[in-house]
Amino acid sequence: MRAARPGGGLSGADAMLRAWLLLCAGLALPAGGEDDGGDGGACTYSFTVTGPGEAGCAEAGGALRAELAALAARLSLLESREAGAPPGPAQGPRGCGELRRAAARLEEDKRRLEREKEELRRRAESGARELARLREAGCGRRGDGPRRDGGPGRPRTVGYQELKSARMEVPAADLLEETARGHPGAGASGCGELVWVGEPVVFGQADSIAGKYGVWMKDPEPVLPFTRATTWRVDTVGTEVRQLFQYDDDEQFGKGYPAKVYILPRALESTGAVVYRGSLYFQQRHSRLLAKYNLREEAIAAEKEIPGAGYHGQYPYSWGGYTDIDLAVDESGLWVIYSTEKAKGAIVLSRLDPETLEIQRTWETNIRKQSVANAFIICGVLYTISSYAVPNATVNFSYDTATGTSQPLSIPFQNRYQYLSMVDYNPTERQLFAWDSFHMVAYPIRLAHA
Ligand code: CA
């Protein structure tokens, strides 16, 4: 069953455009006669793209203009109701001008959506062609194999990764995807050093301010009834963040209609939540308490305080947003990235027991948490991102828990929408999931042998 979208779902550009047009159409229905001619001093509105400065109000264009006019008429009605005045002749020219400007903004939004839709379509077509070519060439191994939970494989997102991988001109012998057959201890996913991050691919887009930033994820080790395709999302704008959206697959996620909405028993803070082995792990609002919320039982299964961890703006990433406590999952399990007074703001990371949330071991790095935009962990190595805002950022440091040493890096990382509020590695999808200014994106990556 589909739930309504309380507080703002997301959609891809295509779905957004459709929703926008539906909104226009819906609003037009009860508009009555308010959108007709300008007699009696009432305004009518014209939103002509080619002549925005025109003073005339009564021009009727194509279907789009009619919809816009209907919308504006409805807005006019609403405005007059809000002001306690009857619609129609009582409106002054001031309301007319304001609405004309509002409509111009709507028109601009629509043009922007159309551009994004076109760009998305172009990229999808090009990707599909390339994927078909690769399949013909005999690629497509990953994602087709058996899964840990025994469910059906879902090659779709992995397919894109293959695609990006094939475009990389790196000697095949150095690359894990090519050597998964024989890396000792690597298993099917393989472990190695991060050497490349590809371009972000948009999977979803928020359509309200509630989704300017947030966290989205897939469970790398899902537990039935959930699968690798199940996608999770939390919009974290606001002080009382309790809604968790569940989507059954990428398509549903892209359209922005969740299969289910959970109301968490505790409010959540930060964009550091993860879903792992059937549970949502998150930091509780205004505290250093971590919670494990079992998604099938819909109940808190464990809670634990991270001793000394800064919270609520004490040691956030440079992005801010109370990102003091950031959970992460890698091939080896569950981690928490934070800082303490003792560490003087340097990044501390602890391995957690996913059952009890007990800290198993802690490392203190020399990377100042507030100097980096975000962090993630791959194969026991912490990586940080240089900036949440500049388009051409880098993965700028790594810290290896196996050796206790850090090193500077300079792996290009693209902030396409220049407001990166969350980044997480998914060891099963082998992608970085990120939230960049209303956009839910994923980055393909490459790992290589040390
Ligand atoms: Ca993170």
Side-chain angles (χ1 to χ4, degrees):
M1 170 190 153
R2 283 185 175 180
R5 283 187 290 162
L10 67 124
S11 65
D14 191 44
M16 277 191 77
L17 178 62
R18 277 203 299 277
W20 194 91
L21 289 172
L22 279 171
L23 173 70
C24 288
L27 286 168
L29 285 176
E34 284 85 16
D35 61 338
D36 59 9
D39 54 304
C43 297
T44 53
Y45 305 99
S46 162
F47 311 107
T48 310
V49 179
T50 50
E54 201 172 319
C57 284
E59 183 181 330
L64 170 60
R65 285 184 204 138
E67 283 163 357
L68 282 167
L71 173 58
R74 184 65 178 154
L75 283 170
S76 167
L77 177 66
L78 288 171
E79 187 185 60
S80 62
R81 279 179 186 164
E82 200 171 59
Q91 289 181 24
R94 185 163 165 265
C96 175
E98 283 171 1
L99 286 170
R100 200 179 286 124
R101 282 192 293 279
R105 283 196 296 275
L106 284 172
E107 180 68 22
E108 175 54 35
D109 280 351
K110 183 181 180 301
R111 283 199 297 270
R112 181 176 55 76
L113 286 171
E114 280 173 344
R115 285 196 299 273
E116 288 183 14
K117 182 187 167 193
E118 187 49 41
E119 163 73 3
L120 213 58
R121 188 189 296 126
R122 193 181 59 72
R123 289 173 62 191
E125 283 171 4
S126 140
R129 280 198 301 274
E130 187 74 356
L131 192 57
R133 188 185 66 72
L134 287 170
R135 283 196 173 127
E136 272 176 26
C139 299
R141 294 178 303 281
R142 294 194 61 234
D144 296 333
R147 290 170 38 201
R148 275 176 258 194
D149 66 350
R154 199 183 59 82
R156 186 170 167 191
T157 52
V158 192
Y160 186 82
Q161 195 172 330
E162 288 166 5
L163 168 69
K164 299 303 294 186
S165 303
R167 284 178 177 167
M168 276 291 293
E169 293 181 5
V170 177
D174 293 344
L175 300 171
L176 275 181
E177 271 80 359
E178 306 302 324
T179 54
R181 57 189 178 269
H183 183 49
S189 60
C191 256
E193 188 183 318
L194 180 69
V195 291
W196 175 81
V197 179
E199 287 184 23
V201 179
V202 177
F203 279 75
Q205 190 171 345
D207 57 7
S208 81
I209 188 63
K212 181 169 187 188
Y213 47 87
V215 52
W216 78 287
M217 54 246 161
K218 291 181 182 179
D219 189 339
E221 295 184 29
V223 176
L224 290 170
F226 310 113
T227 72
R228 260 178 75 177
T230 312
T231 306
W232 305 88
R233 164 183 166 176
V234 182
D235 295 353
T236 60
V237 176
T239 53
E240 190 70 17
V241 179
R242 285 177 183 266
Q243 289 177 343
L244 169 70
F245 301 107
Q246 176 196 326
Y247 306 86
D248 290 337
D249 52 39
D250 284 348
E251 189 182 351
Q252 202 179 66
F253 184 66
K255 286 179 178 165
Y257 293 105
K260 187 168 176 177
V261 181
Y262 299 71
I263 306 298
L264 300 172
R266 317 253 195 283
L268 163 159
E269 191 165 89
S270 153
T271 55
V274 295
V275 173
Y276 182 55
R277 294 182 183 170
S279 290
L280 173 80
Y281 294 82
F282 64 96
Q283 177 211 339
Q284 294 182 35
R285 184 166 71 95
H286 223 304
S287 84
R288 55 174 66 97
L289 266 172
L290 291 184
K292 172 187 179 180
Y293 176 77
N294 184 301
L295 292 161
R296 194 169 47 193
E297 308 290 330
E298 298 185 36
I300 298 285
E303 277 182 293
K304 195 69 73 180
E305 198 167 84
I306 304 296
Y311 62 91
H312 206 67
Q314 197 176 356
Y315 302 115
Y317 292 124
S318 58
W319 173 70
Y322 305 141
T323 49
D324 303 65
I325 296 179
D326 186 16
L327 288 143
V329 174
D330 77 347
E331 290 75 1
S332 66
L334 183 65
W335 301 78
V336 59
I337 305 164
Y338 58 102
S339 188
T340 62
E341 248 179 65
K342 181 172 157 285
K344 300 185 179 67
I347 289 180
V348 175
L349 63 158
S350 298
R351 258 186 67 97
L352 299 175
D353 178 339
E355 285 303 311
T356 63
L357 292 171
E358 295 278 358
I359 290 180
Q360 294 174 324
R361 192 175 163 188
T362 294
W363 291 259
E364 196 175 301
T365 76
N366 57 356
I367 304 163
R368 206 166 74 85
K369 190 155 181 286
Q370 276 177 286
S371 73
V372 296
N374 216 300
F376 53 91
I377 298 175
I378 303 177
C379 301
V381 178
L382 174 94
Y383 295 91
T384 62
I385 293 167
S386 64
S387 167
Y388 67 90
V390 304
N392 299 311
T394 57
V395 176
N396 63 344
F397 286 106
S398 68
Y399 177 88
D400 190 344
T401 56
T403 61
T405 56
S406 60
Q407 61 170 324
L409 298 173
S410 192
I411 301 169
F413 182 95
Q414 194 184 119
N415 285 322
R416 180 167 294 162
Y417 305 100
Q418 296 166 47
Y419 198 70
L420 190 75
S421 55
M422 161 251 157
V423 182
D424 257 340
Y425 171 60
N426 184 310
T428 302
E429 305 303 324
R430 305 204 78 188
Q431 292 176 325
L432 299 177
F433 284 43
W435 195 301
D436 188 359
S437 188
F438 298 97
H439 294 82
M440 284 133 261
V441 300
Y443 296 77
I445 59 159
R446 301 294 319 219
L447 305 181
H449 290 299

